[in-house]
Amino acid sequence: MIGGWLPGGPRNATVRAVLVGVPAEGGRLLFVGSVGSGFAGPERRALAAALRRIASPVSPFTAGVGLGLPRGTEVRFTRPELHAEVEFLELTDAGRLRQPVWRGLRG
């Protein structure tokens, strides 16, 4: 599920990457990584518009889980309503997606 995104492009009008997680206790998400490859240009703009509609002021990810992003990275959180279809090589020992590629929205 998508729990946030990193804006990009002119005026932050597109998605640079989505932050994905798997359902955890209490309706929260367990962060498994960010996905920034596999998007088409028009898809990046359309997805940014969809994610803005479900914006959230708080992270949907479980407390205490770092996102591993560089300090100062602009992150926009969302309500976990959209299901991402992501292809990846494997899960790392830390539970992160290795070489994830965006395939689209599911459902």
Side-chain angles (χ1 to χ4, degrees):
M1 298 189 83
I2 299 174
W5 60 292
L6 306 179
R11 297 181 302 279
N12 291 330
T14 65
V15 170
R16 190 172 82 213
V18 292
L19 307 177
V20 295
V22 294
E25 290 183 30
R28 308 287 286 176
L29 294 179
L30 179 61
F31 181 71
V32 294
S34 62
V35 183
S37 64
F39 295 97
E43 185 178 30
R44 286 182 186 273
R45 287 186 294 281
L47 185 56
L51 293 171
R52 278 188 197 91
R53 288 191 290 275
I54 58 171
S56 173
V58 297
S59 172
F61 298 107
T62 55
V65 175
L67 301 179
L69 301 171
R71 183 174 292 225
T73 301
E74 182 180 358
V75 176
R76 297 186 181 172
F77 294 113
T78 64
R79 296 186 308 272
E81 297 177 3
L82 297 177
H83 294 260
E85 186 169 328
V86 176
E87 187 175 300
F88 59 97
L89 184 61
E90 64 182 350
L91 283 175
T92 67
D93 291 339
R96 304 297 163 121
L97 303 176
R98 185 180 310 274
Q99 298 180 342
V101 177
W102 175 260
R103 292 296 177 224
L105 289 175
R106 188 173 44 183

